[in-house]
Amino acid sequence: MPPSGATVSRLLGLLYDASASTGAWSAFLAAISESTGSESSYFLLIDSQGQCNLNLSHGYDPHWTQAYTSHFHEHDVVTHRFAAAKRLHGEWIGTRNSVIPEQEYLRTYIYNEFTRPQAKLHLCAAALGGLDGVLDGGIAMMRSAGEKPYGKETVTLLKMLAPHMKQALNTHRMLSVSRNRIAALRQSVEALDVAVVSLDRTGRVARMSAAAQVILDARCGIALDGGFLRASLAAEQSRLAAMIAGAVATGAGQGEGVAVRHSTITAPEAGCDPLWTPSPGGAMVISRWPPSRPLGVVVSPFHSGDVLLDDQPAALVFFSD
């Protein structure tokens, strides 16, 4: 049985809230732990130099997170196998048993020296592809040996959230690279040196950075039309409008009405039926007249609990010139 729409919408709201605020990740991890009956959850990110980042976690003793990043990560056969499956399939979502049989796992160093002393056993994780600036990364939840193993419902929930987690992490990184600290979207959009536009619940442009203003004022391939973004070519406009409609609906908490069909090939434990999940936006290229190069466009849902944001943006659009 798929997770309820209310559960998915609540988690998506917290997830996209976290995309603009580092402090909000803990609320998302706490909520997904509660929703899945997990004792702990964490994001694990590994850069191209092999450095491990476990700063975003819930329900873990800091002593163990420090021990993991400094030593145990190199011996974590489960993480290594999830990463290998991700590289083969583009992403991989499932329980620990989807990558290593339990009897083999119980003989491993990582279980006997790291997991077992914490009284943990069961794991469900998503190894995400396409994370900017990260070689491998994803989310995992754990339960104690005394609890029941994870099943289809939890795998299905992670499969539904996977494209949104990727989008939220990439949006967070894009904003953080431009500003080390973001107090509010109003301040960040006006000060960012990246080309970013915020959209309200109707898809109308609410605010834009100076770099985005330059691109739109040129009216080369894309421009403002009555307050809405519009691509010059009909086919590109159709795709752009669909991405914006889906992202805005998701950011406004109405994503079930603009759902996107996803295959479960990379999450076999979720079953074989396609999943219809709220739209995570998307990416495309806008054609422009020479000598201008094609314009990269990324559309992402956005949500913020910041009451100071009177325009209540529901999506962000990033331009890559």
Side-chain angles (χ1 to χ4, degrees), residues 54 57 59-72 113-114 117-118:
L54 198 61
S57 65
Y60 264 102
D61 185 323
H63 164 76
W64 284 110
T65 58
Q66 163 101 28
Y68 184 88
T69 57
S70 63
H71 173 68
F72 287 106
E113 300 297 327
F114 180 77
Q118 299 178 75

Side-chain angles (χ1 to χ4, degrees), residues 196-317:
V196 57
V197 172
S198 67
L199 307 178
D200 66 17
R201 290 169 175 249
T202 70
R204 184 184 294 272
V205 171
R207 198 172 296 277
M208 70 180 75
S209 66
Q213 179 91 51
V214 170
I215 291 171
L216 295 174
D217 285 350
R219 304 188 66 82
C220 184
I222 189 170
L224 278 181
D225 181 8
F228 295 88
L229 294 174
R230 179 171 294 277
S232 300
L233 299 183
E236 293 177 357
Q237 169 55 23
S238 177
R239 184 177 178 191
L240 177 64
M243 288 196 310
I244 288 175
V248 164
T250 299
Q254 302 167 342
E256 295 294 330
V258 189
V260 177
R261 188 174 186 264
H262 288 283
S263 167
T264 56
I265 291 175
T266 58
E269 292 169 308
C272 58
D273 295 330
L275 293 176
W276 288 88
T277 69
S279 170
M284 65 178 294
V285 173
I286 297 289
S287 304
R288 296 194 291 183
W289 301 281
S292 298
R293 296 172 298 178
L295 180 70
V297 177
V298 175
V299 182
S300 173
F302 183 83
H303 177 85
S304 178
D306 192 335
V307 296
L308 297 178
L309 302 182
D310 51 9
D311 45 21
Q312 288 299 304
L316 299 179
V317 180

